[in-house]
Amino acid sequence: FRTDLLTARHNMEHHRTVLGNSNNDWRAERRMTARRDIVDRAWELAREHGLAGLSLRDLARQQGMATPSLYSYFDSKHALYDAMFIDGNRAMLAMDPPAHGDDLRTTLRNVLRFIVQFALADPVRYQLLAQRTIPGFEPSADAYALAQQAYDWLFAPLRAVIAVTQD
């Protein structure tokens, strides 16, 4: 009986669920939420102080944690920039795409209008995505792949109208 009780207790501790998720799933979700919160706060600070003025010390303080604790979420400041780069491209992909036009000029105008509106809506985000203002920062392969997807999505209307005019 004692062995069964110990086995049952062990199973409960290691397979306990929270709303149907295992502890590992819950921890992973909590970690992802914390990372999202840190990235959101980093954007706020970057908008306030500029991308180059983003301070991990200030970010940690505003998150209510010690600076070294940030490193459990991001290996470096560049890793944080990488997460912001991904977030910015996801934001673009979540928007309504530029409208297709009947001709090249109209379509080009729509794509350029989209780019200008995207840049003006959040200049710091646009700066991170489209300019190289942070010395030594280079997006990771995953971040770059998402940027390429956003680029392809953005210019798809132009490729479509060019394909029609070449037929």
Side-chain angles (χ1 to χ4, degrees), residues 53-72:
L54 178 61
S55 160
L56 293 183
R57 183 178 302 128
D58 291 343
L59 178 59
R61 187 178 313 115
Q62 289 204 8
Q63 286 296 109
M65 61 174 63
T67 304
S69 297
L70 277 177
Y71 290 99
S72 65

Side-chain angles (χ1 to χ4, degrees), residues 107-136:
T107 303
L108 181 59
R109 185 179 308 122
N110 292 342
V111 169
L112 292 175
R113 182 178 296 123
F114 178 92
I115 292 169
V116 169
Q117 288 173 344
F118 183 80
L120 292 175
D122 192 341
V124 172
R125 177 182 61 193
Y126 181 77
Q127 184 181 27
L128 180 63
L129 299 184
Q131 301 171 1
R132 294 287 174 243
T133 58
I134 303 165

Side-chain angles (χ1 to χ4, degrees), residues 100-108 161 165:
H100 288 258
D102 294 332
D103 59 16
L104 182 58
R105 175 176 283 161
T106 303
T107 303
L108 181 59
V161 77
T165 60

Side-chain angles (χ1 to χ4, degrees), residues 14-162:
H14 292 290
H15 301 289
R16 189 174 309 175
T17 60
V18 177
L19 299 177
N21 294 330
S22 72
N23 276 342
N24 289 339
D25 291 343
W26 178 79
R27 284 186 184 111
E29 181 62 32
R30 194 168 112 190
R31 180 174 174 76
M32 284 178 30
T33 299
R35 282 179 58 95
R36 277 193 301 268
D37 290 347
I38 292 168
V39 168
D40 289 346
R41 183 65 56 121
W43 278 121
E44 291 172 16
L45 289 173
R47 288 178 189 114
E48 188 176 328
H49 303 288
L51 283 167
L54 178 61
S55 160
L56 293 183
R57 183 178 302 128
D58 291 343
L59 178 59
R61 187 178 313 115
Q62 289 204 8
Q63 286 296 109
M65 61 174 63
T67 304
S69 297
L70 277 177
Y71 290 99
S72 65
Y73 295 98
F74 299 98
D75 293 340
S76 65
K77 192 172 186 179
H78 283 184
L80 177 59
Y81 285 134
D82 198 63
M84 294 169 71
F85 188 86
I86 288 170
D87 184 67
N89 279 295
R90 285 183 179 152
M92 180 187 295
L93 288 168
M95 298 174 75
D96 291 332
H100 288 258
D102 294 332
D103 59 16
L104 182 58
R105 175 176 283 161
T106 303
T107 303
L108 181 59
R109 185 179 308 122
N110 292 342
V111 169
L112 292 175
R113 182 178 296 123
F114 178 92
I115 292 169
V116 169
Q117 288 173 344
F118 183 80
L120 292 175
D122 192 341
V124 172
R125 177 182 61 193
Y126 181 77
Q127 184 181 27
L128 180 63
L129 299 184
Q131 301 171 1
R132 294 287 174 243
T133 58
I134 303 165
F137 171 67
E138 190 171 320
S140 66
D142 289 342
Y144 186 77
L146 186 62
Q148 185 62 51
Q149 180 184 345
Y151 178 85
D152 292 343
W153 170 86
L154 179 59
F155 289 100
L158 281 173
R159 282 191 300 280
V161 77
I162 288 170

